[in-house]
Amino acid sequence: MKDFKINSEIDDFDLYKLAILNNIELQIGSGWNRLVLDLVIELSNNGWDLKVDCIKEKYGGLSFYIDHKFFNIVENYHLESFEVCESCGRPGYLRSYKNIIYTACDTHGMAPKQLRKK
């Protein structure tokens, strides 16, 4: 992983390379890619070794499994993910529909109108 460089020009392709290097599959919608890239940059700036066990959506939020010493950084992005549409990256909110919990904007939300914010 020493050949994998994180800088301000990191993009979606680099996120997929990170997943390949860790032998994992990205289990998130592309709307969260920028959020995860920002997380990766912040982690790298704080001494992260690039090892990640899983990147996925869980209960409508971003789950990024790494060494627990980075808990506070990861938790901040986890909480932020509840305000970002997983499909497109626009502002969204947590929704529940037919026992599915997800974060989406009004365009990508499939919840009944009575569950949507006014």
Side-chain angles (χ1 to χ4, degrees):
M1 282 202 242
K2 64 182 178 181
D3 295 333
F4 185 78
K5 304 291 184 216
I6 296 175
N7 57 40
S8 61
E9 297 176 14
I10 193 170
D11 62 17
D12 292 358
F13 182 68
D14 294 308
L15 185 56
Y16 290 99
K17 287 193 297 189
L18 178 65
I20 291 167
L21 288 170
N22 281 282
N23 199 29
I24 63 170
E25 182 178 330
L26 291 176
Q27 300 174 49
I28 59 170
S30 62
W32 281 353
N33 284 3
R34 184 73 256 161
L35 184 68
V36 174
L37 290 168
D38 291 344
L39 170 58
V40 164
I41 290 169
E42 186 169 345
L43 289 168
S44 178
N45 290 339
N46 283 278
W48 176 51
D49 63 5
L50 301 177
K51 293 181 182 170
V52 58
D53 295 319
C54 187
I55 303 171
K56 70 178 186 176
E57 176 277 331
K58 185 174 181 181
Y59 302 118
L62 172 65
S63 292
F64 193 92
Y65 297 95
I66 62 171
D67 187 311
H68 69 279
K69 72 181 179 181
F70 299 104
F71 174 82
N72 290 336
I73 295 170
V74 173
E75 181 66 6
N76 288 337
Y77 285 86
H78 169 75
L79 294 173
E80 187 177 339
S81 72
F82 292 113
E83 298 176 0
V84 177
C85 177
E86 186 181 0
S87 295
C88 69
R90 291 190 302 243
Y93 61 92
L94 192 63
R95 301 166 181 263
S96 175
Y97 182 68
K98 293 188 177 182
N99 297 322
I100 299 171
I101 300 171
Y102 61 103
T103 301
C105 64
D106 285 338
T107 300
H108 293 106
M110 55 185 175
K113 288 183 181 179
Q114 63 268 25
L115 295 178
R116 295 182 183 185
K117 286 185 178 178
K118 304 268 185 215

